[in-house]
Amino acid sequence: MAHWRQDPEAVAQAVSQGDRSAVAQAITAVESTNPKHQALARRLLSALTEPESPTVRVGISGVPGVGKSTFIESFGRMLTDNGHRVGVLAIDPSSVRTGGSVLGDKTRMPELSVNPSAFVRPSPSSGTLGGVAKSTSQAMRILEAAGYDVILVETVGVGQSETTVATMVDTFLFLGLARTGDQLQGIKKGVLEIADVVAINKADGEFEKAAMSAARELQAALRMVNTGQSGWLPPVLTCAGLTGLRLDEVWEAIGSHREFLGTDGLLAKRHSQEWELTEKLVIAELEARLQRSSAVQAVRADLRRQVFDGALAAATAADEILRAFDSSD
Ligand code: GDP
């Protein structure tokens, strides 16, 4: 990380003026695991100004190849053409595990990356999912303080990343795909439960018909499973990121969802998300400590062998590990 030539309050000030290099520096600070940088990041975050009215936070998910980056590129251009300032962040659990990334770097959105009304930040390339969730949520605040009024958080349909993103955004947009035979691909049941808006992407040219009927089918299925608890039935749209087809309708659906939430509902949702994230962060930190604990490491291999030999029951082994952990600090 570059040296801080200014104090964090000055960086926060530059952020609020929309200074791009200050924004980049601030995000780098919140992503850093270095305790010194974290201390600077904390000061910086507390010096940030909150936007006057709530920004629009949208999560975007779908399997690799569904067209997320193409969609965000066009959607982002449509929004900036309409006077919005758009921040793009990404959560990529593959980069957390392997250091390699499914989502890749910012070259995936070449146009938006150089658009003066947009700020595209590639996903952090290391850290735990909990850590990445924390830095992404802080990066979101930095972008909002810098005047970006629409924040798009992209994620792939892998592991826990979708539920993590769902706890950070106002509206969760799921991109699906139709193929000949109207078969829907890449849609996990759990994902539909957290989706606020669904769009069957690549509904251009020869795929249009299949997309339309897939959308109808899915809409009917959603109507069936919708318990009416929240009162919101996720609309299923069709669109094409590549051609820009019906992206305005996707934006309108996001707007309708916000209207449905209302200002109070939106704030209440954000507050409960904040608490959910709090708990997630605690659990993530505890897990990391458990992995790091030398006292646990000292007994783990032996306990594992005993369990594998059938000499020890899981509950007893778990007790032993927890006892070692508790005694280590
Ligand atoms: P991601 O992995 O979800 O980010 O998907 P990409 O945006 O990289 O797109 C994967 C492939 O699908 C690329 O070859 C795109 O050109 C293509 N693609 C993306 N959007 C559309 C679309 O709306 N229509 C069609 N026909 N192809 C698309």
Side-chain angles (χ1 to χ4, degrees):
M1 189 175 128
H3 288 296
W4 286 63
R5 270 178 243 99
Q6 298 160 298
D7 58 35
E9 287 74 19
V11 177
Q13 176 73 21
V15 164
S16 66
Q17 285 159 359
D19 179 330
R20 295 180 77 90
S21 71
V23 171
Q25 189 182 13
I27 296 180
T28 304
V30 298
E31 284 174 358
S32 171
T33 49
N34 176 325
K36 245 200 223 153
H37 298 157
Q38 283 182 348
L40 290 169
R42 266 194 294 278
R43 274 175 61 191
L44 181 136
L45 287 164
S46 61
L48 287 178
T49 45
E50 290 228 358
E52 276 169 29
S53 52
T55 56
V56 181
R57 300 174 176 174
V58 181
I60 299 176
S61 182
V63 294
V66 73
K68 290 179 297 301
S69 53
T70 310
F71 176 91
I72 293 172
E73 182 93 319
S74 305
F75 198 62
R77 185 179 19 178
M78 177 188 80
L79 293 175
T80 57
D81 284 350
N82 289 338
H84 290 288
R85 299 187 67 214
V86 179
V88 181
L89 298 168
I91 288 190
D92 183 350
S94 63
S95 70
V96 168
R97 271 202 311 273
T98 63
S101 163
V102 172
L103 291 176
D105 58 22
K106 67 169 112 180
T107 53
R108 293 170 69 246
M109 294 160 207
E111 239 191 74
L112 208 55
S113 299
V114 296
N115 182 329
S117 299
F119 195 99
V120 180
R121 180 78 177 190
S123 56
S125 58
S126 64
T128 60
L129 186 56
V132 169
K134 178 166 128 188
S135 60
T136 303
S137 119
Q138 292 173 336
M140 188 154 71
R141 280 167 208 283
I142 291 164
L143 289 174
E144 290 174 343
Y148 295 93
D149 63 317
V150 180
I151 310 293
L152 307 176
V153 187
E154 177 190 13
T155 190
V156 277
V158 179
Q160 293 291 306
S161 66
E162 287 146 336
T163 41
T164 303
V165 169
T167 59
M168 287 183 207
V169 296
D170 308 326
T171 303
F172 190 82
L173 165 66
F174 181 74
L175 296 180
L177 220 51
R179 280 284 173 253
T180 36
D182 306 346
Q183 209 182 344
L184 284 163
Q185 292 193 335
I187 299 191
K188 292 185 288 186
K189 188 169 170 287
V191 168
L192 287 182
E193 277 161 15
I194 55 172
D196 300 303
V197 178
V198 179
I200 306 301
N201 195 26
K202 304 195 187 180
D204 51 316
E206 53 173 321
F207 299 126
E208 177 153 24
K209 260 201 166 139
M212 294 285 211
S213 75
R216 266 195 304 275
E217 203 176 289
L218 183 59
Q219 185 73 79
L222 276 177
R223 203 170 278 127
M224 297 275 290
V225 298
N226 194 282
T227 55
Q229 239 172 14
S230 75
W232 174 255
L233 176 68
V236 184
L237 313 170
T238 58
C239 70
L242 195 62
T243 61
L245 181 77
R246 289 195 283 278
L247 295 188
D248 52 343
E249 291 182 18
V250 176
W251 180 242
E252 276 166 28
I254 292 167
S256 302
H257 179 242
R258 293 177 75 74
E259 255 174 57
F260 166 80
L261 290 173
T263 312
D264 290 349
L266 183 68
L267 289 180
K269 178 170 184 168
R270 287 191 176 188
H271 293 153
S272 86
Q273 285 177 330
E274 208 58 29
W275 179 245
E276 229 176 292
L277 186 60
T278 307
E279 296 200 311
K280 271 210 172 91
L281 293 177
V282 171
I283 289 166
E285 176 59 26
L286 282 177
E287 234 175 67
R289 287 187 196 178
L290 191 66
Q291 295 303 329
R292 277 199 307 264
S293 160
S294 50
V296 169
Q297 276 162 23
V299 297
R300 203 168 174 272
D302 186 45
L303 289 168
R304 182 172 184 272
R305 191 182 43 73
Q306 291 187 57
V307 171
F308 270 61
D309 287 348
L312 200 62
T316 318
D319 281 346
E320 291 293 326
I321 286 178
L322 291 171
R323 209 188 333 272
F325 181 66
D326 286 340
S327 67
S328 64
D329 48 24

